[in-house]
């Protein structure tokens, strides 16, 4: 589907779609299946924002084997490793992913537990794809001789208005669905792209190694027929092909997660490149409201202030910051990054701050 112009109406599309699958407590089923399995879901997060949809999980900022052993032996099914690879050069991102894969596989062998990798990245398609999926896949194959049947592409981030419909990834603004390739995010100097249709985006990012017709697509209509319909598709996937997931709600993701667990039970192996919402579903993690003020302030420290650090170069964040500062008593202080990067000016800038 090619979409040009000012986008699509979300409410119009929503009214025309089949209803979401009404399964019984799918999230609970997912949680119980994960708890009964002898494996870990390991989320490699290329930016610190990946944990915004989950709670009560460990986040590792290092990946030495001692820390990994502790994480493997903890009762929780899911844990994160903060790689920060979106902020480094491609060669360093490759080194980090290769090292993590090696350490994780060694600890998994020691503990006798399985694992699955979720490469969590940006919901507007910025990041080191296909590099990180390629490195993780090749390293695990080298260490174990086992190959993945497919890598699922699930960039949805519902909390931020990112959904995928008819293979095209969108950003929701009000009632308007804007293809992400028409937004400022697609103009990123390092991770920019021209296509919003994920099959074409894959071809672009792999420089033609994978063509659009090579991708497996799971449509919204198929998801809304329930887990059995999706499982049937997943069982046919092989050769580590990209699997494009169309989804517009957590109900859609829960159907996918149940189907995945069923297909994995029959021996299928998958690796994932996703936005933040997928982990909440696949990990069987329940909903938690935003933290109230009382939980953000330590007891006895109510009179003290807090520090909010904002760093971004996209206009959307700038508009959010302007809104935050409007009509509040927050004191804004801008750090001159150019001066911080100059050794002779750094001390003076730090003193000013």
């Amino acid at each position: 589907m090619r979409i040009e112009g000012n986008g699509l109406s979300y409410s119009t599309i929503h009214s025309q779609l089949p209803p979401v699958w009404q399964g019984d407590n799918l999230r609970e089923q997912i949680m119980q299946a994960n708890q009964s399995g002898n494996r870990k879901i390991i989320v490699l997060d290329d930016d610190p924002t990946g944990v915004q949809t989950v709670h009560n999980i460990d986040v590792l900022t290092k990946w030495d084997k001692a820390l990994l052993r502790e994480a493997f032996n903890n009762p929780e099914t899911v844990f994160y490793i903060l790689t920060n690879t979106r902020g480094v050069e491609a060669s360093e991102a490759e080194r980090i992913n290769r090292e993590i894969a090696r350490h994780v596989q060694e600890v998994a062998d020691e503990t006798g537990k399985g694992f699955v990798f979720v490469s969590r990245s940006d919901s507007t398609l910025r990041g080191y794809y296909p590099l990180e999926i390629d490195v993780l896949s090749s390293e695990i194959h080298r260490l174990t001789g086992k190959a993945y049947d497919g890598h699922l592409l699930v960039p949805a981030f519902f909390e931020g208005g990112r959904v995928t419909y008819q293979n095209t990834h969108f950003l929701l603004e009000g009632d308007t669905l804007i293809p992400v390739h028409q937004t400022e995010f697609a103009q990123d100097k390092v991770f920019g792209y021209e296509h919003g249709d994920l099959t074409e985006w894959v071809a672009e990012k792999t420089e033609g190694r994978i063509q659009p017709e090579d991708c497996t697509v799971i449509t919204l209509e198929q998801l809304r027929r329930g887990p059995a319909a999706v499982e049937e598709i997943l069982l046919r996937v092989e050769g580590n092909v990209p699997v494009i997931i169309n989804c517009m709600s957590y109900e859609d993701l829960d159907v996918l997660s149940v189907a995945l667990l069923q297909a994995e039970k029959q021996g299928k192996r998958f690796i994932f490149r996703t936005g933040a919402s997928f982990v909440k579903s696949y990990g069987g993690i329940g909903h938690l409201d935003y933290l109230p003020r009382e939980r953000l302030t330590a007891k006895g420290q109510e009179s003290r202030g807090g520090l909010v650090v904002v760093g971004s170069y996209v206009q959307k964040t700038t508009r959010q910051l302007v809104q935050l500062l409007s009509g509040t008593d927050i004191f804004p202080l801008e750090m001159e990054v150019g001066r911080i990067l100059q050794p002779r000016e750094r001390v003076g800038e730090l003193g000013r701050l």
Side-chain angles (χ1 to χ4, degrees):
M1 176 181 66
R2 293 186 179 277
I3 299 169
E4 305 296 341
N6 297 321
L8 302 174
S9 165
Y10 175 82
S11 57
T12 300
I13 290 173
H14 190 266
S15 67
Q16 297 170 348
L17 287 170
V20 297
W21 176 261
Q22 295 295 331
D24 292 331
N25 300 317
L26 291 187
R27 190 69 61 83
E28 182 73 19
Q29 292 179 39
I30 296 164
M31 182 187 69
Q32 291 177 359
N34 283 329
Q35 289 176 344
S36 64
N38 189 37
R39 71 164 190 177
K40 296 292 182 179
I41 297 171
I42 305 175
V43 186
L44 307 185
D45 199 354
D46 73 352
D47 180 90
T49 57
V51 296
Q52 57 198 323
T53 60
V54 298
H55 56 88
N56 295 330
I57 49 94
D58 286 335
V59 180
L60 279 58
T61 57
K62 296 181 180 179
W63 43 88
D64 58 83
K65 286 193 283 187
L67 274 176
L68 288 171
R69 284 190 198 97
E70 184 177 341
F72 264 79
N73 288 323
N74 284 342
E76 291 78 17
T77 301
V78 181
F79 68 89
Y80 277 63
I81 300 176
L82 180 56
T83 68
N84 271 333
T85 49
R86 211 186 310 166
V88 301
E89 298 291 335
S91 58
E92 179 65 1
E94 177 177 351
R95 185 197 68 79
I96 288 171
N97 278 271
R98 200 172 297 282
E99 182 176 85
I100 290 173
R102 188 172 67 251
H103 287 184
V104 165
Q105 186 61 59
E106 289 172 0
V107 173
D109 290 341
E110 290 176 15
T111 59
K113 294 180 180 178
F115 67 89
V116 59
F117 277 137
V118 177
S119 178
R120 203 296 305 188
S121 191
D122 181 51
S123 61
T124 60
L125 305 181
R126 298 170 298 170
Y128 283 116
Y129 175 86
L131 182 144
E132 294 188 297
I133 287 294
D134 287 347
V135 169
L136 293 168
S137 301
S138 64
E139 190 67 9
I140 293 302
H141 184 265
R142 184 185 70 82
L143 293 168
T144 68
K146 296 178 181 179
Y148 291 108
D149 292 300
H151 62 269
L152 273 67
L153 298 174
V154 200
F157 174 40
F158 306 124
E159 292 82 354
R162 275 72 144 168
V163 299
T164 309
Y165 171 67
Q166 292 191 357
N167 299 346
T168 297
H169 197 49
F170 291 94
L171 191 157
L172 180 62
E173 293 280 5
D175 189 53
T176 303
L177 289 168
I178 304 169
V180 288
H181 72 288
Q182 295 178 12
T183 68
E184 63 176 324
F185 302 106
Q187 309 307 314
D188 190 288
K189 292 180 180 178
V190 178
F191 302 117
Y193 52 91
E194 297 180 358
H195 297 94
D197 182 304
L198 290 179
T199 63
E200 296 177 358
W201 178 81
V202 166
E204 177 184 353
K205 286 296 180 179
T206 62
E207 298 180 334
R209 170 167 60 90
I210 302 173
Q211 289 296 307
E213 59 269 22
D214 298 328
C215 299
T216 294
V217 170
I218 295 179
T219 67
L220 265 170
E221 290 75 13
Q222 289 165 330
L223 277 168
R224 294 185 176 188
R225 291 181 201 141
V230 179
E231 179 190 356
E232 184 180 341
I233 300 168
L234 292 172
L235 289 174
R236 296 196 299 266
V237 172
E238 57 185 17
N240 203 12
V241 297
V243 183
I244 310 300
I245 305 299
N246 290 275
C247 54
M248 299 184 74
S249 69
Y250 270 114
E251 289 87 348
D252 296 329
L253 282 186
D254 288 348
V255 168
L256 172 66
S257 296
V258 170
L260 278 166
L261 289 166
Q262 292 171 346
E264 289 167 332
K265 205 171 184 179
Q266 297 185 59
K268 300 302 283 186
R269 288 168 52 83
F270 301 104
I271 189 169
F272 305 90
R273 181 72 169 185
T274 81
S277 293
F278 174 75
V279 181
K280 182 176 180 179
S281 172
Y282 188 55
I285 299 170
H287 176 70
L288 186 70
D289 289 332
Y290 292 131
L291 292 176
R293 178 174 182 168
E294 294 73 25
R295 292 193 61 190
L296 290 171
T297 307
K299 189 171 285 190
Q301 303 295 318
E302 291 82 2
S303 63
R304 294 180 178 271
L307 177 65
V308 180
V309 181
V310 180
S312 179
Y313 58 89
V314 295
Q315 285 302 310
K316 187 177 181 70
T317 301
T318 300
R319 293 195 300 272
Q320 291 171 331
L321 180 60
V322 170
Q323 180 69 25
L324 174 66
L325 297 176
S326 175
T328 69
D329 58 358
I330 293 174
F331 178 77
L333 189 61
E334 183 174 357
M335 179 171 64
E336 297 289 344
V337 177
R339 295 188 65 194
I340 291 291
L341 294 175
Q342 296 297 323
R344 294 182 178 178
E345 298 186 41
R346 182 180 299 133
V347 173
E349 178 64 2
L350 289 174
R352 181 185 73 82
L353 295 170

